């Protein structure tokens, strides 16, 4: 059995070396061709950091038993990012980007005119290829569909995140400056 394994390894090595030869089945390799045209400009920032901004309108949200939900396809959430990186989600509120998860409180009136206190919580989850945002009212009522909002998604590879342990991730402005992100 060991001899058969050794012979198989030798054959694989010979085939591999032959495939690396400078001469193919048609003859010797020709000269290098001309340089191709310049490709389109890429995104600003680091190679292993990506960001995008998405506007969500009321009809984009759907009810999923206890909360309103919206799903974003986001190719920057690769298997490496999913397994060991960081995905940050910010929502624009009063011209400021606020990190999710977050809860905000407000007051309203019920059907009898009584003042009631309410809260809305936003949470996120991410998966390979996308991000979900969940909007939950404290009474789990589905009568209020969230309005139009802008979200900013940032995906950071583990090595780049680890290189900046002092970074305040709750501040989009600091994240933007640190990783040279374009708006």
């Amino acid at each position: 059995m060991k001899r058969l394994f050794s012979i198989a390894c030798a054959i694989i090595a010979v085939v591999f070396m032959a495939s690396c030869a400078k001469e193919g089945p048609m003859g010797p390799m020709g000269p290098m061709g001309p340089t191709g045209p310049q490709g389109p400009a890429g995104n600003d920032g680091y190679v292993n950091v990506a960001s995008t901004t998405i506007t969500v309108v009321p009809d984009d949200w759907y009810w999923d038993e206890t909360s309103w939900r919206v799903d974003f396809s986001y190719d920057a959430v690769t298997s490496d990012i999913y397994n060991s990186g960081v995905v940050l989600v910010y929502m624009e509120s009063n011209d400021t980007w606020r990190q999710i998860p977050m809860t905000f409180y407000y007051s309203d009136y019920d059907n009898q005119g009584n003042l009631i206190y309410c809260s809305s919580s936003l949470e996120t989850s991410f998966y390979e290829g996308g991000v979900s945002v969940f909007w939950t009212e404290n009474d789990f009522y589905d009568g209020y569909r969230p309005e139009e909002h802008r979200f900013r998604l940032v995906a950071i590879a583990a090595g780049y995140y680890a290189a900046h342990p002092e970074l305040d991730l709750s501040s989009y402005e600091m994240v933007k400056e640190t990783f040279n992100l374009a708006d």
Side-chain angles (χ1 to χ4, degrees), residues 48-54 74 76-77 81 85-90 97 99 126 131 151-157 167 169 171-173 175-176 179 181-183:
N48 294 320
V49 179
S51 70
T52 191
T53 302
I54 298 171
Y74 190 38
V77 184
I81 296 290
V86 176
V87 177
L88 306 171
V89 181
Y90 301 89
W97 291 103
Q99 186 181 27
F126 63 96
V131 175
F151 293 92
R152 183 153 289 153
L153 313 177
V154 180
I156 306 172
L167 182 59
L169 299 177
S171 168
Y172 173 72
E173 291 304 317
V175 170
K176 175 183 168 183
F179 296 112
L181 301 176
D183 278 337

Side-chain angles (χ1 to χ4, degrees), residues 83-115:
N83 290 315
S84 58
V86 176
V87 177
L88 306 171
V89 181
Y90 301 89
M91 184 178 85
E92 189 175 39
S93 175
N94 299 324
D95 297 322
T96 301
W97 291 103
R98 301 185 189 282
Q99 186 181 27
I100 298 174
M102 68 187 232
T103 300
F104 55 94
Y105 302 92
Y106 58 97
S107 58
D108 201 354
Y109 291 93
D110 65 11
N111 294 340
Q112 288 81 35
N114 299 313
L115 180 65

Side-chain angles (χ1 to χ4, degrees), residues 54 56 61 64 67-72 74 77 82 85-92 98-103 120-127 130-136 150-155 169:
I54 298 171
V56 176
W61 297 92
D64 79 344
S67 62
W68 289 100
R69 176 178 176 169
V70 65
D71 300 312
F72 308 116
Y74 190 38
V77 184
Y82 177 78
V86 176
V87 177
L88 306 171
V89 181
Y90 301 89
M91 184 178 85
E92 189 175 39
R98 301 185 189 282
Q99 186 181 27
I100 298 174
M102 68 187 232
T103 300
S120 296
S121 297
L122 282 88
E123 298 175 337
T124 64
S125 69
F126 63 96
Y127 47 90
V131 175
S132 296
V133 175
F134 303 89
W135 186 301
T136 307
R150 287 183 356 129
F151 293 92
R152 183 153 289 153
L153 313 177
V154 180
L169 299 177

